[in-house]
Amino acid sequence: MKILTSTIVAIALPSVASEAYARNGFSDKLRGMGDAQRNAIFAKLMTGSGERCPIVDRTMFRGESRGTALWSIRCAGVKDWTVSIAPDSSTKLLACFVSKRLGLTPCWTPL
């Protein structure tokens, strides 16, 4: 099983220091973006993590658990992923087929 970590701050999210009220300000910024901008940021995150994903063509905010936001993303022509974003902006990636094998909630299902 391959789980990658990265940081989304370097990807281009504006500072959220003034948004202390948000449980996960980084995810909130993503939620407020248009699809094209959000997809481009996730594509940069994926390629920056060494994954073959130059184009993200679908995203879905799944919800938050203990301040960590979960997103499902689809890498065009490749595979689907769950991206978890912690409040400190650190990220973890898990391929959806691995989630299924582990018996976790399916990727495109809200929490």
Side-chain angles (χ1 to χ4, degrees), residues 16-102:
V16 292
S18 64
E19 297 183 21
Y21 65 90
R23 287 187 63 187
N24 191 314
F26 300 98
S27 181
D28 290 345
K29 288 285 186 185
L30 288 167
R31 290 176 68 191
M33 293 177 183
D35 290 341
Q37 185 179 13
R38 182 174 45 249
N39 291 351
I41 287 174
F42 276 119
K44 287 180 185 179
L45 170 70
M46 297 302 290
T47 56
S49 297
E51 293 300 325
R52 189 173 57 95
C53 182
I55 298 171
V56 170
D57 62 5
R58 181 180 175 202
T59 62
M60 183 184 96
F61 175 69
R62 296 180 56 205
E64 287 187 15
S65 176
R66 288 179 262 157
T68 297
L70 293 178
W71 287 81
S72 290
I73 69 164
R74 173 161 294 146
C75 294
V78 186
K79 59 184 161 187
D80 295 350
W81 294 85
T82 291
V83 179
S84 62
I85 305 172
D88 67 358
S89 80
S90 61
T91 60
K92 293 182 182 176
L93 310 174
L94 184 64
C96 289
F97 75 89
V98 174
S99 295
K100 186 175 180 178
R101 287 183 186 165
L102 294 174

